[in-house]
Amino acid sequence: MTKKGRVFSGARPTGRQHLGNYLGAIRNYVALQADYDCVYCVVDLHALTTMETTRDLKNNTYEMALDWLAAGIDPQESIVFIQSQVRQINELFLIFSMVSPLGKLTDLPTFKEKVRQAPHNVNLGLVGYPVLMAADIALYKADLVPVGIDQAPHIEYTRETVRSFNYRYSTNVLVEPGMKVTEIPKVLGTDGQQKMSKSLNNHIELALTAEETQKVVMTMVTDPQRARRTDPGNPDVCNVFSLHKVFSSPEEVDTINTECRNAGIGCVDCKKLFARNLNAHLAPFREKRSALAEKPDYIWDVLHDGAQRAGTIAEQTMQEVRAAVGLPE
Ligand code: AMP
Ligand code: TRP
């Protein structure tokens, strides 16, 4: 079947994935496989920009790739690989750095945020983070990039870089990508306040057992105004309710919506029902994950094979890029 074009996305190796990663990224990656040639990348070089130790890098890469495959990324259909294993990325990064205005890079909200978080660790790689991302996307000539809304400035930056490159070298070898924002760009954590994230420890890991999941779900913060079981609640401000909308049937959502407002259902029962539905949804994922985890070599084989296939595309692009720039063959 002919596909509509190429999709590329990357995620830093953060180890076991959580519900935020799943709804914000992975589910989208899986769905796009039907219509696009997909390339999914573990961006370990990007991770180096903020990592002070690389002790967990390998294991985090393995765990994330395992979650991706268990969730339904099909390594026959799609290319799954580790960024650092396709060396051409370094070359395109360097060439792109010549068309990258420093002022624009230091103005990006994502850069400013990183500086605020770690003022002692502002390095050239960090300033160049969006340049490396632009190189990722351009190296594979992606038409479409599925990402969270926080990445919008980086996609815009990629488009500008591709335009600058093509203009400066009077060529059209590189492709300006489009962006596909996930339907659920921000999943809140168990605190019901902040974005779900490992570093805030407010996350629900996909690979937990059903019992562990239920335990974490029971700690979720609901409508803060609802102090007693007999108080009426407001589902509109409740994170558990917003997740019910994803994992529960329309009838259940309707019932909770009504019964919460008139104190017919309490938060404990509401959360139990959510845990049950979430566990039912994740059961096939967990089964597949356990099976895959029994053959760790398979995951590394998939990643190595992915790097070979990605490398072929990357080298093709680089030959065109070198020719456009005027570098000797
Ligand atoms: P990160 O782990 O922050 O590098 O994110 C990897 C991918 O998961 C990115 O595409 C993010 O947009 C997405 N993601 C991470 N956390 C969340 C969240 N809480 N809600 C929605 N998407 C998320
Ligand atoms: N910057 C992205 C993030 O922090 C990760 C990333 C790197 C990426 N290269 C990419 C995403 C290329 C999409 C395409 O989530």
Side-chain angles (χ1 to χ4, degrees):
M1 194 188 79
T2 50
K3 302 269 172 102
K4 290 187 203 158
R6 184 172 289 139
V7 155
F8 182 97
S9 196
R12 282 166 296 161
T14 50
R16 292 187 172 206
Q17 301 289 283
H18 55 66
L19 215 51
N21 300 129
Y22 178 66
L23 297 177
I26 303 172
R27 210 168 60 150
N28 219 14
Y29 294 178
V30 173
L32 285 164
Q33 294 179 118
D35 292 329
Y36 290 87
D37 286 319
C38 296
V39 183
Y40 296 125
C41 181
V42 181
V43 292
D44 56 346
L45 296 171
H46 274 105
L48 293 184
T49 60
T50 52
M51 271 177 124
E52 292 177 21
T53 156
T54 48
R55 205 181 40 232
D56 300 327
L57 191 59
K58 211 167 154 187
N59 189 50
N60 282 346
T61 297
Y62 170 80
E63 293 283 348
M64 187 164 90
L66 184 54
D67 278 344
W68 282 5
L69 298 193
I73 293 179
D74 175 359
Q76 310 290 331
E77 261 312 289
S78 305
I79 296 177
V80 185
F81 77 107
I82 302 174
Q83 185 185 34
S84 65
Q85 293 192 325
V86 175
R87 314 282 183 215
Q88 286 82 352
I89 187 64
N90 305 300
E91 191 182 354
L92 190 56
F93 171 68
L94 189 74
I95 290 173
F96 271 4
S97 69
M98 315 305 171
V99 292
S100 295
L102 264 187
K104 210 182 255 178
L105 290 168
T106 51
D107 261 357
L108 285 169
T110 40
F111 175 72
K112 289 183 178 157
E113 175 68 20
K114 288 275 157 60
V115 174
R116 253 194 310 275
Q117 284 168 357
H120 63 286
N121 192 24
V122 180
N123 53 66
L124 179 58
L126 188 69
V127 182
Y129 186 106
V131 183
L132 185 57
M133 178 159 162
D136 275 332
I137 296 167
L139 192 55
Y140 300 96
K141 297 193 179 180
D143 302 292
L144 198 64
V145 184
V147 278
I149 191 71
D150 58 320
Q151 295 298 310
H154 289 163
I155 302 296
E156 191 44 43
Y157 185 80
T158 301
R159 294 166 58 81
E160 286 168 15
T161 305
V162 164
R163 280 201 297 270
S164 302
F165 175 91
N166 283 347
Y167 179 75
R168 180 180 293 197
Y169 298 111
S170 308
T171 179
N172 59 3
V173 297
L174 297 182
V175 175
E176 260 187 63
M179 168 171 169
K180 183 174 168 66
V181 187
T182 45
E183 306 91 272
I184 308 180
K186 186 169 170 185
V187 178
L188 297 182
T190 50
D191 53 18
Q193 297 281 326
Q194 291 168 282
K195 183 173 156 174
M196 184 177 287
S197 143
K198 242 184 188 174
S199 53
L200 295 169
N201 199 22
N202 64 358
H203 60 300
I204 305 177
E205 244 172 44
L206 303 174
L208 295 179
T209 63
E211 294 71 35
E212 289 166 337
T213 305
Q214 161 134 357
K215 248 195 200 149
V216 180
V217 166
M218 296 318 286
T219 69
M220 287 177 79
V221 174
T222 53
D223 171 6
Q225 300 299 320
R226 191 177 184 193
R228 282 175 297 268
R229 167 69 182 82
T230 47
D231 294 341
N234 179 5
D236 299 334
V237 298
C238 177
N239 187 31
V240 177
F241 184 65
S242 51
L243 288 169
H244 264 298
K245 287 191 211 155
V246 182
F247 294 103
S248 303
S249 69
E251 295 75 33
E252 285 170 327
V253 172
D254 264 359
T255 310
I256 296 164
N257 192 14
T258 318
E259 295 303 314
C260 173
R261 287 179 207 278
N262 64 25
I265 181 174
C267 294
V268 170
D269 286 333
C270 178
K271 287 196 268 192
K272 277 190 187 152
L273 180 63
F274 170 59
R276 203 185 69 200
N277 291 345
L278 177 62
N279 281 328
H281 181 90
L282 290 177
F285 163 85
R286 287 171 178 160
E287 210 169 293
K288 190 154 176 208
R289 193 181 202 283
S290 308
L292 287 169
E294 282 181 17
K295 30 179 196 172
D297 288 350
Y298 171 74
I299 302 293
W300 292 112
D301 287 348
V302 162
L303 292 168
H304 285 129
D305 173 64
Q308 293 241 320
R309 289 156 65 200
T312 305
I313 303 171
E315 182 50 29
Q316 175 67 44
T317 305
M318 282 317 295
Q319 284 178 12
E320 293 168 11
V321 165
R322 289 176 206 124
V325 173
L327 296 168
E329 271 176 46

